[in-house]
Amino acid sequence: MKSAVETLNPTRVRLTVEVPFEELKDSLDAAYKKINQQVTVKGFRKGKIPARVIDQRFGRGAVLEEAVNDALPKFYTEAVNEAELNVLGQPEVDITELKDNETLNFTAEVDVRPAIEIPDYSGIEVEVDAVEVSDEDVDKAVEELRERFASTSPVERAAEDGDVVTIDLEAKVEGEVLEDGVASGVSYTIGSGELLEGIDDAVKGLEAGGEATFTSELKGGSAAGQEAEVTVKVTQVAARELPSLDDDFAQLASEFDTLDELKADSRKRLENMKQYDQATQAQERVLEKLLELVEVPVPEKLLADEIETRKHNLVNHQLGQMGLDLAKYLEIQGKTEEEFDAETKEQAEKGIKTQFVLDELVNKEKLNVNQEELTEHLMRRAQSSGMSPDQFAQAVVEGGQVPMLVGEVARGKALAVVVEAATVKDTNGEVVDLDDDEDETAETVEATSDSAEEKTEA
């Protein structure tokens, strides 16, 4: 077999392959054997039909077609390996010449990873939010905890803001009660915004037994997005009572003995959260700076497939679960379809470029992923997916996704190397000393790359 490579553009090549006919012998033998098992010829036992009889009865062309289909993947792979190409996706194959007992010639056009030069990234500088926790932040956190320990008691008066009402609901669209538009005994806190728009004004001022009708756009269900006439009946009004902010509350709501200790712990938790957000912000901004430094051509077909995948996932999974279609989603977001397409394309390009650049960094820095790092990443991914580690691991193995997880961790380590080399300052001008966590950077990379990896691994 002889092969040659022609570069069509920075992300696509054409392979020209010439195969001497004798190298098709194994595939021809396999073709005759396969056809033998599929056909019957009077006078011959199944599987024992001579090759010359198969040629006479079914045509040599059918045998050649079967043999070539069997051989092409092998010769294509050999040509790719011989040229040391890093291919993306499936090739477009064209048989240019097939002469019986002489030769098989074909071409294969395929996308390849572009050659990327990683420049010196040690000069990257980014600014992030300072970690500052005010007394107001602490008070707000303690107040939210206090809200969780509020008690309720029925009252014989009209409902007011902050009250918890028990209500029955009935929704009609065009005068017809919806099958899924009836609910009884629903508990709702007035002012929480957790139900339908307009319900707060409808129930305020009602006592137990009172009812009102209002119009609202349904958020979910069979008539999601449609205007409905909603009747609400209040069956109970209950006032919320907050516990006093004292040491007794601290003992009730936490493991601490005093309110001061509880507040100190709340401050520490808020600081940790802000430090995590700061680290994530640093990773994202360093990554953006790195991408600005590198010229990364993106294969057109890979980009088109990535855009289509992102749209499909949004429409059929995320929006589908919320009972929305794309048109309604765009209306809620206040975007035109053109703006949405442009945004999706930008995100897809960034995801592909991120993977290409960080993969090149992995190779340049000779970064490896050990079993402990992979296990830790798997545990975090399992937790975020709501599955047990064993269930998640089984799903990953059965789905052949282990290389994908390894890639996420490796890219996280590559980004951590760049972040460590960068200068990160907060808005106060102070240099930020980040405690690098490759798994956190893997999450940043994963969020940016999204579904691009599945295609580039193809």
Side-chain angles (χ1 to χ4, degrees), residues 380-418:
R380 295 197 185 192
R381 285 291 303 273
Q383 186 177 18
S384 64
S385 70
M387 300 170 67
S388 72
D390 288 344
Q391 289 174 326
F392 187 79
Q394 183 178 354
V396 166
V397 172
E398 290 178 352
Q401 300 298 303
V402 174
M404 184 182 75
L405 284 188
V406 172
E408 288 174 0
V409 179
R411 293 182 199 108
K413 295 180 72 170
L415 180 54
V417 168
V418 183

Side-chain angles (χ1 to χ4, degrees), residues 288-301:
E288 288 179 2
K289 289 281 189 180
L290 176 64
L291 294 180
E292 290 173 5
L293 294 176
V294 188
E295 185 68 30
V296 186
V298 175
E300 292 183 9
K301 187 176 186 307

Side-chain angles (χ1 to χ4, degrees), residues 36-56:
N36 243 308
Q37 299 299 322
Q38 294 174 339
V39 301
T40 57
V41 175
K42 190 174 180 180
F44 297 95
R45 286 183 295 164
K46 196 175 186 66
K48 299 296 183 179
I49 308 169
R52 60 180 175 77
V53 175
I54 290 177
D55 289 346
Q56 292 169 357

